[in-house]
Amino acid sequence: MAICLQPAQRQHLDELLFFVRAYHKYEGIQFSDEVRRDAVISLLGNSAFGRIFLIRLDVEMIGYVAISFGFSIEFGGRDAFIDEIFVSSEYRGSGYGREALALMKAEVARHDIKALHLEVTRTNKRAQQLYRSLGFSEREKYFLMSTEIFGVKG
């Protein structure tokens, strides 16, 4: 059975927040529900910041992908960052995450995105293998660094 990506809209907020909370719990990301809700609302609809796509298997939502937009001189134009991708535990290992990422690559290509980035924990070898198989590669010369701005964890 094939999946599809559906752009998330305001009417999907409650359903989407359920999955975002589950992802944050799984990854140990600690935010208040208010901060989480505000961040998700900022990406709903046609946002200049990015988009959230529901991963659907027929009519059932089984996860989501959140991307943020940027610009890269190095890559020669607009780029995007997969900020979060989550597939419900009962659907993992069935190829749906792989399929969602392939669909996301096609989606951003239609919008003239020159590069698609993501981050993965150094210990998650299974995810790293999946991402490599889809054309993502480590940038050995670089690693991601973050800082807190105005009390928001980066």
Side-chain angles (χ1 to χ4, degrees), residues 54-68:
L54 310 176
I55 303 172
R56 292 221 179 258
L57 180 62
D58 290 326
V59 296
E60 185 175 0
M61 181 178 166
I62 64 168
Y64 71 98
V65 181
I67 63 168
S68 57

Side-chain angles (χ1 to χ4, degrees), residues 16-57:
L16 182 57
L17 283 172
F18 173 82
F19 284 96
V20 174
R21 276 188 217 96
Y23 173 70
H24 287 181
K25 182 178 179 182
Y26 177 79
E27 289 291 340
I29 299 169
Q30 297 190 14
F31 281 124
S32 70
D33 280 341
E34 181 182 0
V35 169
R36 184 178 294 117
R37 180 183 172 86
D38 290 347
V40 167
I41 288 171
S42 294
L43 292 178
L44 292 178
N46 191 19
S47 171
F49 300 122
R51 305 274 190 289
I52 298 180
F53 293 86
L54 310 176
I55 303 172
R56 292 221 179 258
L57 180 62

Side-chain angles (χ1 to χ4, degrees), residues 68-81 104-117 135-136:
S68 57
F69 299 134
F71 189 91
S72 171
I73 294 172
E74 177 183 356
F75 287 101
R78 293 180 66 209
D79 64 353
F81 194 100
M104 183 53 59
K105 284 177 68 176
E107 175 68 26
V108 297
R110 283 191 291 277
H111 296 281
D112 200 31
I113 301 293
K114 304 296 185 191
L116 182 60
H117 315 281
F136 291 90

